[in-house]
Amino acid sequence: MLDGKVMVTGGAGYIGSHAVLALLDAGFEVVVIDNLVTGFDWAVDGRAAFVEMAVEDPRVPGVLAEHGVRAIMHFAGSVVVPESVSDPLKYYRNNTAATRSLIESAVTAGVPHFIFSSTAATYGTPERVPISESDPTRPINPYGMSKLMTETMLRDVAAAHPINYACLRYFNVAGADPQGRSGQSTVGATHLIKIAVEAATGKRDAVSVFGTDFETRDGTGVRDYIHVSDLAEAHVAALKLLIAQPGESHILNAGYGRGFSVMEVLDAVDRVTNMTIERRLEGRRAGDPAELVADNSAILKTIDWAPKRDDLDGIVKDALAWERALAERAPAERGR
Ligand code: UFG
């Protein structure tokens, strides 16, 4: 398989912790580095080694050597789009500059494979949906640009050094580990399904619907929601491909290729919880496109992966189960 460990940066965070589980479940050995600014050490599965460290720390090459790392999955970074608009330098530091440092550490240590968390935000406002990887990338916020700049660095570095890479452009990631081992724990969430299950568990009294006048079937925004465990397994499949075909790199949309509106998501939450969660109809959020849906034909034919959890009610059920478990945790563990 791989003659060494996989380093997972941000492995104490939401998507990273699920990737750790998928890697361990597939038989890989894992070392996590995370600075615990938004992640939680308890979110790292006990089978993985854990080092509390930032990705730009000068000691990273030492960790790579000490653990015999042969692949890096890079999840660490900042992810809140409106914050990227008000504090762009934070995003160019945490996402672009820190990743430059990590890639340099990888090249220095001779790590041959790199998988990067990219985003549908690299496309900006799409000219057409579903969106294909060859469509124009014109980010409309610093978050998307900070990720696109990293994709560009990887392309150039892979042309110059013996390293191949996969960039997975995530659509809307949601849900939680079906076995209840991890989920979205960071406080101050802004993502729709997380917010809706917080309302279902009494942490909020209503859900705001941002925009009811989009050109969509019911006027609310349409997104391609992908279960976090399917996404995590896609990373493992991408890693296997990078190992099998060392000369080749890939940029792949990670979505299911179908969209649900905000109202359809909230209907699913009502169904699953058997509640009627209050919807507050509000104006559009700045920068929200009407519809983001992946053309996922490339990922389906490139890597050995097929969605197993393409079911909106199932995604909501898993998110809700995690939210309930989180509510029972000791407050100190729940979030910072
Ligand atoms: N929404 C609401 N109410 C809320 C939260 C969201 O109506 O309380 C709506 C949004 O307006 C949007 C949809 O629900 O129509 C989804 O919004 P999210 O905030 O859950 O997700 P985004 O589509 O805005 O963001 C996602 C990723 C980002 C990525 C972006 C690409 O989470 O990381 O897609 O544009 F950058």
Side-chain angles (χ1 to χ4, degrees):
M1 202 146 63
L2 189 69
D3 187 19
K5 286 186 191 165
V6 181
M7 173 181 277
V8 179
T9 77
Y14 173 45
I15 304 175
S17 65
H18 289 82
V20 170
L21 292 170
L23 284 163
L24 293 168
D25 292 349
F28 287 92
E29 289 186 283
V30 175
V31 55
V32 168
I33 68 164
D34 197 300
N35 62 6
L36 301 181
V37 168
T38 54
F40 304 97
D41 50 5
W42 52 257
V44 179
D45 189 286
R47 293 170 289 171
F50 175 67
V51 182
E52 186 175 341
M53 191 175 279
V55 298
E56 67 274 31
D57 194 298
R59 294 170 296 173
V60 167
V63 177
L64 293 171
E66 186 191 329
H67 287 268
V69 170
R70 300 291 290 161
I72 296 174
M73 286 193 185
H74 179 38
F75 296 92
S78 297
V79 298
V80 181
V81 173
E83 185 191 45
S84 81
V85 177
S86 59
D87 191 359
L89 292 174
K90 174 174 177 180
Y91 282 70
Y92 291 120
R93 181 185 67 230
N94 290 353
N95 292 352
T96 314
T99 307
R100 197 213 71 88
S101 168
L102 179 67
I103 298 169
E104 185 168 35
S105 297
V107 169
T108 306
V111 176
H113 312 295
F114 198 102
I115 296 188
F116 175 58
S117 296
S118 191
T119 169
T122 54
Y123 296 111
T125 306
E127 280 169 11
R128 55 171 192 175
V129 272
I131 309 165
S132 142
E133 291 84 351
S134 55
D135 286 353
T137 43
R138 299 189 195 112
I140 55 166
N141 49 58
Y143 170 69
M145 184 56 89
S146 71
K147 294 280 186 173
L148 185 61
M149 288 165 81
T150 299
E151 288 194 4
T152 308
M153 282 194 284
L154 284 168
R155 182 197 65 197
D156 295 345
V157 169
H161 300 285
I163 188 166
N164 67 344
Y165 69 89
C167 295
L168 298 187
R169 291 181 176 161
Y170 308 162
F171 282 67
N172 287 63
V173 188
D177 177 52
Q179 296 177 46
R181 298 172 294 177
S182 194
Q184 197 167 352
S185 310
T186 310
V187 291
T190 58
H191 291 165
L192 178 63
I193 291 181
K194 173 76 175 173
I195 294 219
V197 296
E198 284 182 356
T201 52
K203 283 189 199 156
R204 299 173 185 266
D205 52 6
V207 178
S208 297
V209 176
F210 295 132
T212 52
D213 57 351
F214 288 105
E215 279 182 32
T216 59
R217 47 190 173 266
D218 61 19
T220 65
V222 169
R223 296 290 183 273
D224 187 342
Y225 294 91
I226 177 172
H227 194 295
V228 64
S229 298
D230 272 348
L231 180 68
E233 287 171 10
H235 286 74
V236 175
L239 174 59
K240 289 180 177 168
L241 181 67
L242 293 184
I243 296 166
Q245 296 179 355
E248 298 198 14
S249 294
H250 307 273
I251 294 178
L252 299 166
N253 285 341
Y256 289 147
R258 51 90 190 106
F260 290 104
S261 71
V262 174
M263 292 304 189
E264 287 164 345
V265 169
L266 297 178
D267 288 345
V269 176
D270 284 355
R271 257 192 318 273
V272 167
T273 56
N274 211 13
M275 293 166 71
T276 306
I277 291 161
E278 188 189 335
R279 305 175 189 188
R280 288 202 189 119
L281 306 188
E282 294 184 22
R284 293 184 185 193
R285 215 167 48 174
D288 269 354
E291 188 170 356
L292 287 176
V293 174
D295 174 342
N296 66 354
S297 51
I299 193 168
L300 292 178
K301 66 171 183 266
T302 307
I303 64 173
D304 183 17
W305 174 82
K308 290 184 196 151
R309 305 168 185 92
D310 177 0
D311 161 33
L312 183 60
D313 287 25
I315 292 174
V316 170
K317 265 183 207 137
D318 289 340
L320 180 68
W322 179 255
E323 200 58 41
R324 287 185 172 142
L326 207 55
E328 282 164 21
R329 277 180 181 271
E333 287 195 348
R334 211 179 288 151
R336 285 183 268 250

Coordinates of all heavy atoms in Angstrom, one line a residue, residues 129-199:
V129 N -24.5 25.3 -14.6 CA -24.5 24.2 -13.7 C -25.1 23.0 -14.5 O -26.0 23.2 -15.3 CB -25.4 24.5 -12.4 CG1 -24.6 25.1 -11.3 CG2 -26.6 25.2 -12.8
P130 N -24.7 21.8 -14.2 CA -23.6 21.5 -13.2 C -22.2 22.0 -13.7 O -22.0 22.2 -14.9 CB -23.6 19.9 -13.2 CG -24.3 19.5 -14.4 CD -25.2 20.6 -14.8
I131 N -21.3 22.2 -12.7 CA -20.0 22.9 -13.0 C -19.0 21.8 -13.3 O -18.9 20.8 -12.5 CB -19.6 23.7 -11.8 CG1 -20.7 24.6 -11.4 CG2 -18.3 24.5 -12.1 CD1 -20.4 25.2 -10.0
S132 N -18.2 22.0 -14.4 CA -17.2 21.0 -14.7 C -15.8 21.6 -14.3 O -15.6 22.8 -14.3 CB -17.3 20.6 -16.1 OG -16.1 20.4 -16.7
E133 N -14.9 20.7 -14.1 CA -13.5 21.1 -13.7 C -12.9 22.1 -14.7 O -12.0 22.9 -14.3 CB -12.6 19.9 -13.4 CG -13.0 19.1 -12.2 CD -14.0 18.0 -12.5 OE1 -14.7 18.1 -13.6 OE2 -14.3 17.2 -11.6
S134 N -13.2 21.9 -15.9 CA -12.6 22.8 -17.0 C -13.3 24.1 -17.1 O -12.9 25.0 -17.9 CB -12.6 22.1 -18.3 OG -14.0 21.7 -18.6
D135 N -14.4 24.4 -16.3 CA -15.0 25.7 -16.4 C -14.1 26.7 -15.7 O -13.2 26.4 -15.0 CB -16.4 25.6 -15.6 CG -17.4 24.8 -16.4 OD1 -17.1 24.5 -17.6 OD2 -18.5 24.5 -15.9
P136 N -14.4 28.0 -16.1 CA -13.5 29.1 -15.6 C -13.5 29.2 -14.1 O -14.5 28.9 -13.4 CB -14.1 30.4 -16.1 CG -15.1 30.0 -17.2 CD -15.5 28.5 -16.9
T137 N -12.3 29.4 -13.5 CA -12.1 29.6 -12.1 C -11.9 31.1 -11.8 O -10.9 31.6 -12.1 CB -10.9 28.8 -11.5 OG1 -9.8 28.9 -12.4 CG2 -11.3 27.3 -11.4
R138 N -13.0 31.7 -11.3 CA -12.9 33.2 -11.0 C -13.5 33.4 -9.7 O -14.7 33.8 -9.5 CB -13.7 33.9 -12.1 CG -13.3 33.8 -13.5 CD -14.0 34.7 -14.4 NE -13.9 34.4 -15.8 CZ -14.8 33.9 -16.6 NH1 -16.1 33.8 -16.1 NH2 -14.6 33.6 -17.8
P139 N -12.7 33.1 -8.6 CA -13.3 33.3 -7.3 C -13.8 34.7 -7.0 O -13.3 35.6 -7.5 CB -12.0 33.0 -6.4 CG -11.0 32.3 -7.2 CD -11.3 32.7 -8.6
I140 N -14.9 34.7 -6.2 CA -15.5 36.0 -5.9 C -15.2 36.4 -4.5 O -15.7 37.4 -4.0 CB -17.0 36.1 -6.2 CG1 -17.7 34.9 -5.4 CG2 -17.3 36.0 -7.7 CD1 -19.2 35.1 -5.4
N141 N -14.3 35.6 -3.8 CA -14.0 36.0 -2.4 C -12.6 35.5 -2.1 O -12.1 34.6 -2.8 CB -15.0 35.5 -1.4 CG -15.3 34.0 -1.6 OD1 -14.4 33.2 -1.6 ND2 -16.5 33.7 -1.8
P142 N -11.9 36.1 -1.1 CA -10.5 35.7 -0.8 C -10.4 34.3 -0.4 O -9.4 33.6 -0.7 CB -10.1 36.7 0.3 CG -11.0 37.9 0.2 CD -12.3 37.3 -0.4
Y143 N -11.4 33.7 0.2 CA -11.4 32.3 0.5 C -11.1 31.4 -0.7 O -10.2 30.6 -0.8 CB -12.7 31.8 1.2 CG -12.8 30.4 1.4 CD1 -12.0 29.7 2.3 CD2 -13.7 29.6 0.6 CE1 -12.1 28.3 2.4 CE2 -13.8 28.2 0.7 CZ -13.0 27.6 1.6 OH -13.1 26.2 1.8
G144 N -12.0 31.6 -1.7 CA -11.8 30.9 -3.0 C -10.5 31.1 -3.7 O -9.8 30.2 -4.2
M145 N -10.0 32.4 -3.6 CA -8.8 32.7 -4.2 C -7.6 32.1 -3.5 O -6.6 31.6 -4.1 CB -8.6 34.3 -4.3 CG -7.4 34.7 -5.0 SD -7.2 34.0 -6.7 CE -8.1 35.3 -7.7
S146 N -7.7 32.1 -2.2 CA -6.6 31.5 -1.4 C -6.4 30.0 -1.7 O -5.3 29.5 -1.7 CB -6.8 31.7 0.1 OG -7.9 30.9 0.6
K147 N -7.5 29.4 -2.0 CA -7.5 27.9 -2.3 C -7.0 27.8 -3.8 O -6.2 26.9 -4.1 CB -8.9 27.3 -2.2 CG -9.3 27.3 -0.7 CD -8.7 26.1 0.0 CE -9.2 25.9 1.4 NZ -8.8 24.7 2.0
L148 N -7.4 28.6 -4.7 CA -7.0 28.5 -6.1 C -5.5 28.8 -6.2 O -4.8 28.1 -7.0 CB -7.8 29.5 -6.9 CG -7.6 29.5 -8.4 CD1 -8.0 28.1 -9.0 CD2 -8.4 30.6 -9.1
M149 N -5.0 29.7 -5.4 CA -3.6 30.0 -5.5 C -2.8 28.7 -5.0 O -1.7 28.4 -5.6 CB -3.2 31.2 -4.6 CG -3.7 32.5 -5.2 SD -3.7 33.9 -4.0 CE -2.0 34.4 -4.0
T150 N -3.3 28.0 -4.1 CA -2.7 26.8 -3.7 C -2.7 25.7 -4.8 O -1.7 25.0 -5.0 CB -3.3 26.3 -2.4 OG1 -3.1 27.2 -1.4 CG2 -2.7 25.0 -1.9
E151 N -3.8 25.6 -5.5 CA -3.9 24.7 -6.6 C -2.8 25.0 -7.6 O -2.1 24.1 -8.2 CB -5.3 24.8 -7.3 CG -6.4 24.2 -6.5 CD -7.7 24.0 -7.4 OE1 -7.6 24.3 -8.6 OE2 -8.7 23.6 -6.9
T152 N -2.6 26.3 -7.8 CA -1.6 26.8 -8.8 C -0.2 26.4 -8.3 O 0.6 25.9 -9.1 CB -1.7 28.3 -9.0 OG1 -3.1 28.6 -9.4 CG2 -0.8 28.7 -10.2
M153 N 0.1 26.6 -7.0 CA 1.4 26.2 -6.5 C 1.6 24.7 -6.7 O 2.7 24.3 -7.1 CB 1.5 26.5 -5.0 CG 1.7 28.0 -4.7 SD 2.1 28.2 -2.9 CE 0.6 28.0 -2.1
L154 N 0.6 24.0 -6.4 CA 0.8 22.5 -6.5 C 1.1 22.1 -8.0 O 2.0 21.3 -8.2 CB -0.5 21.8 -6.0 CG -0.6 21.7 -4.5 CD1 -2.0 21.3 -4.1 CD2 0.5 20.8 -3.9
R155 N 0.4 22.7 -8.9 CA 0.6 22.4 -10.3 C 2.1 22.7 -10.7 O 2.8 21.9 -11.3 CB -0.3 23.3 -11.2 CG -0.2 23.0 -12.7 CD -0.8 24.2 -13.5 NE 0.0 25.4 -13.3 CZ -0.5 26.7 -13.6 NH1 -1.7 26.8 -14.1 NH2 0.3 27.7 -13.3
D156 N 2.6 23.9 -10.3 CA 4.0 24.3 -10.6 C 5.0 23.4 -9.9 O 6.0 23.0 -10.5 CB 4.2 25.7 -10.3 CG 3.3 26.7 -11.2 OD1 2.7 26.2 -12.2 OD2 3.1 27.8 -10.8
V157 N 4.7 23.1 -8.7 CA 5.7 22.3 -7.9 C 5.7 20.8 -8.4 O 6.8 20.2 -8.6 CB 5.3 22.3 -6.4 CG1 6.1 21.2 -5.6 CG2 5.5 23.7 -5.8
A158 N 4.6 20.3 -8.8 CA 4.6 18.9 -9.4 C 5.3 18.9 -10.7 O 5.8 17.8 -11.1 CB 3.1 18.4 -9.5
A159 N 5.4 20.0 -11.4 CA 6.1 20.0 -12.7 C 7.6 20.0 -12.5 O 8.4 19.7 -13.3 CB 5.7 21.2 -13.5
A160 N 8.0 20.5 -11.3 CA 9.4 20.7 -11.0 C 10.0 19.6 -10.1 O 11.2 19.5 -10.1 CB 9.6 22.1 -10.4
H161 N 9.2 19.0 -9.3 CA 9.7 18.0 -8.3 C 9.0 16.7 -8.4 O 7.8 16.6 -8.9 CB 9.5 18.6 -6.9 CG 10.2 19.9 -6.7 ND1 11.6 20.0 -6.5 CD2 9.7 21.2 -6.7 CE1 11.9 21.3 -6.4 NE2 10.8 22.0 -6.5
P162 N 9.6 15.6 -7.8 CA 8.9 14.3 -7.9 C 7.8 14.2 -6.9 O 7.9 13.5 -5.9 CB 10.1 13.3 -7.6 CG 11.0 14.1 -6.8 CD 10.9 15.6 -7.2
I163 N 6.7 14.9 -7.2 CA 5.5 14.8 -6.3 C 4.3 14.9 -7.2 O 4.3 15.6 -8.2 CB 5.6 16.0 -5.3 CG1 4.5 15.9 -4.2 CG2 5.5 17.3 -5.9 CD1 4.7 16.8 -3.0
N164 N 3.3 14.1 -6.9 CA 2.0 14.3 -7.6 C 0.9 14.6 -6.6 O 1.1 14.5 -5.3 CB 1.6 13.0 -8.4 CG 1.3 11.8 -7.6 OD1 1.6 11.7 -6.4 ND2 0.7 10.8 -8.3
Y165 N -0.2 15.2 -7.1 CA -1.2 15.7 -6.2 C -2.6 15.5 -6.7 O -2.8 15.3 -7.9 CB -1.0 17.2 -6.0 CG -1.2 18.1 -7.2 CD1 -2.5 18.6 -7.4 CD2 -0.3 18.3 -8.1 CE1 -2.8 19.3 -8.5 CE2 -0.5 19.1 -9.3 CZ -1.8 19.6 -9.5 OH -2.1 20.3 -10.6
A166 N -3.6 15.6 -5.8 CA -5.0 15.7 -6.1 C -5.6 16.8 -5.4 O -5.4 16.9 -4.2 CB -5.7 14.4 -5.8
C167 N -6.3 17.7 -6.1 CA -7.1 18.7 -5.4 C -8.6 18.3 -5.6 O -9.1 18.1 -6.7 CB -6.9 20.1 -6.2 SG -5.3 20.7 -6.1
L168 N -9.2 18.2 -4.4 CA -10.6 17.9 -4.5 C -11.4 19.2 -4.2 O -11.2 19.8 -3.1 CB -11.0 16.8 -3.4 CG -10.3 15.4 -3.6 CD1 -10.9 14.4 -2.6 CD2 -10.5 14.9 -5.0
R169 N -12.2 19.5 -5.2 CA -13.0 20.8 -5.0 C -14.4 20.4 -4.4 O -15.3 19.9 -5.1 CB -13.2 21.4 -6.4 CG -11.9 22.0 -6.9 CD -12.1 22.7 -8.3 NE -10.9 23.3 -8.7 CZ -10.7 23.7 -10.0 NH1 -11.6 23.4 -10.9 NH2 -9.6 24.2 -10.3
Y170 N -14.4 20.6 -3.1 CA -15.6 20.2 -2.3 C -16.8 21.1 -2.7 O -16.7 22.3 -2.7 CB -15.4 20.3 -0.8 CG -14.2 19.7 -0.2 CD1 -13.8 20.1 1.0 CD2 -13.5 18.7 -0.9 CE1 -12.7 19.5 1.7 CE2 -12.4 18.1 -0.3 CZ -12.0 18.5 1.0 OH -10.9 18.0 1.6
F171 N -18.0 20.5 -2.7 CA -19.2 21.3 -2.8 C -19.7 21.4 -1.3 O -18.9 21.7 -0.5 CB -20.2 20.6 -3.8 CG -19.8 21.0 -5.2 CD1 -18.5 20.6 -5.8 CD2 -20.5 22.0 -5.9 CE1 -18.1 21.1 -7.0 CE2 -20.1 22.4 -7.2 CZ -18.9 22.0 -7.7
N172 N -20.9 21.2 -1.0 CA -21.3 21.4 0.4 C -21.2 20.2 1.3 O -22.0 19.3 1.1 CB -22.8 22.0 0.4 CG -22.8 23.4 -0.1 OD1 -22.4 23.7 -1.2 ND2 -23.1 24.4 0.8
V173 N -20.3 20.2 2.2 CA -20.0 19.0 3.0 C -20.9 19.1 4.2 O -21.0 20.1 4.9 CB -18.5 19.0 3.4 CG1 -18.2 17.7 4.1 CG2 -17.6 19.3 2.2
A174 N -21.5 17.9 4.5 CA -22.5 17.9 5.7 C -22.5 16.5 6.2 O -21.9 15.6 5.7 CB -23.8 18.4 5.2
G175 N -23.3 16.3 7.3 CA -23.4 15.0 8.0 C -22.3 14.8 8.9 O -21.5 15.6 9.3
A176 N -22.2 13.5 9.4 CA -21.3 13.1 10.4 C -21.0 11.6 10.3 O -21.8 10.9 9.6 CB -21.8 13.4 11.8
D177 N -20.0 11.1 10.9 CA -19.6 9.7 10.8 C -20.9 8.9 11.2 O -21.4 9.1 12.3 CB -18.5 9.4 11.8 CG -18.1 8.0 11.8 OD1 -17.9 7.4 10.7 OD2 -18.0 7.4 12.9
P178 N -21.3 8.0 10.4 CA -22.5 7.2 10.7 C -22.3 6.4 12.0 O -23.3 6.0 12.7 CB -22.7 6.3 9.5 CG -22.0 7.0 8.4 CD -20.8 7.7 9.0
Q179 N -21.1 6.1 12.4 CA -20.9 5.3 13.6 C -20.7 6.2 14.8 O -20.4 5.8 15.9 CB -19.6 4.5 13.5 CG -19.6 3.4 12.4 CD -18.3 2.6 12.3 OE1 -17.7 2.3 13.3 NE2 -17.9 2.5 11.1
G180 N -20.9 7.5 14.6 CA -20.9 8.5 15.7 C -19.5 8.8 16.3 O -19.4 9.3 17.4
R181 N -18.5 8.5 15.5 CA -17.1 8.7 16.0 C -16.6 10.2 15.8 O -15.7 10.6 16.5 CB -16.1 7.8 15.3 CG -16.4 6.3 15.6 CD -15.5 5.4 14.8 NE -15.9 5.5 13.3 CZ -15.2 4.9 12.4 NH1 -14.2 4.1 12.7 NH2 -15.5 5.1 11.1
S182 N -17.2 10.9 14.9 CA -16.9 12.3 14.7 C -18.0 13.1 14.1 O -19.0 12.5 13.6 CB -15.6 12.5 13.9 OG -15.1 13.8 14.0
G183 N -17.9 14.4 14.0 CA -18.9 15.2 13.4 C -18.4 16.7 13.5 O -17.3 16.9 13.8
Q184 N -19.3 17.6 13.1 CA -18.9 19.0 13.1 C -19.1 19.6 14.5 O -20.2 19.7 15.0 CB -19.8 19.7 12.1 CG -19.1 21.0 11.7 CD -19.8 21.6 10.5 OE1 -20.6 21.0 9.8 NE2 -19.5 22.9 10.1
S185 N -18.0 20.0 15.1 CA -18.0 20.4 16.5 C -17.7 21.9 16.7 O -18.0 22.4 17.8 CB -17.0 19.6 17.3 OG -17.2 18.2 17.0
T186 N -17.1 22.5 15.7 CA -16.6 23.9 15.9 C -17.8 24.8 16.2 O -18.9 24.7 15.5 CB -15.9 24.4 14.6 OG1 -15.0 23.4 14.3 CG2 -15.3 25.7 14.8
V187 N -17.7 25.7 17.2 CA -18.8 26.6 17.5 C -18.8 27.7 16.5 O -17.9 27.9 15.8 CB -18.7 27.1 18.9 CG1 -18.9 26.1 20.0 CG2 -17.3 27.8 19.1
G188 N -20.0 28.3 16.4 CA -20.1 29.5 15.5 C -20.3 29.0 14.1 O -19.8 29.7 13.1
A189 N -20.9 27.8 13.9 CA -21.1 27.3 12.5 C -22.0 28.2 11.7 O -22.9 28.9 12.2 CB -21.7 25.9 12.6
T190 N -21.7 28.2 10.4 CA -22.6 29.0 9.5 C -23.2 28.2 8.4 O -24.1 28.7 7.7 CB -21.7 30.1 8.7 OG1 -20.7 29.4 8.0 CG2 -21.0 31.1 9.7
H191 N -22.9 26.9 8.4 CA -23.4 26.0 7.3 C -24.9 25.6 7.6 O -25.2 25.2 8.8 CB -22.5 24.8 7.2 CG -21.2 25.2 6.6 ND1 -20.1 24.4 6.6 CD2 -20.8 26.4 6.0 CE1 -19.1 25.0 6.0 NE2 -19.5 26.2 5.7
L192 N -25.6 25.5 6.6 CA -27.1 25.4 6.7 C -27.5 24.1 7.5 O -28.3 24.2 8.4 CB -27.7 25.3 5.3 CG -29.2 25.1 5.3 CD1 -30.0 26.2 6.0 CD2 -29.7 24.9 3.9
I193 N -27.0 23.0 7.2 CA -27.5 21.7 7.9 C -27.0 21.7 9.3 O -27.8 21.4 10.2 CB -27.0 20.5 7.1 CG1 -27.7 20.4 5.7 CG2 -27.2 19.2 7.9 CD1 -27.4 19.2 4.9
K194 N -25.8 22.2 9.6 CA -25.4 22.4 11.0 C -26.3 23.3 11.8 O -26.7 23.0 12.9 CB -23.9 22.9 11.0 CG -23.4 23.2 12.3 CD -23.0 22.0 13.2 CE -22.3 22.4 14.5 NZ -22.1 21.3 15.4
I195 N -26.6 24.4 11.2 CA -27.5 25.4 11.8 C -28.9 24.8 12.1 O -29.5 25.0 13.1 CB -27.6 26.7 10.9 CG1 -26.2 27.3 10.9 CG2 -28.7 27.6 11.3 CD1 -26.2 28.8 10.9
A196 N -29.4 24.1 11.1 CA -30.7 23.5 11.2 C -30.8 22.5 12.3 O -31.7 22.4 13.1 CB -31.2 22.9 9.9
V197 N -29.7 21.6 12.4 CA -29.8 20.6 13.5 C -29.5 21.3 14.9 O -30.0 20.8 15.9 CB -28.8 19.4 13.3 CG1 -29.3 18.6 12.1 CG2 -27.4 19.8 13.2
E198 N -28.8 22.4 14.9 CA -28.7 23.2 16.1 C -30.0 23.7 16.6 O -30.4 23.7 17.7 CB -27.7 24.3 16.0 CG -26.2 23.9 16.0 CD -25.2 25.1 15.9 OE1 -25.7 26.2 15.7 OE2 -24.0 24.8 15.9
A199 N -30.8 24.1 15.6 CA -32.2 24.6 15.9 C -33.0 23.4 16.4 O -33.8 23.5 17.4 CB -32.8 25.2 14.7

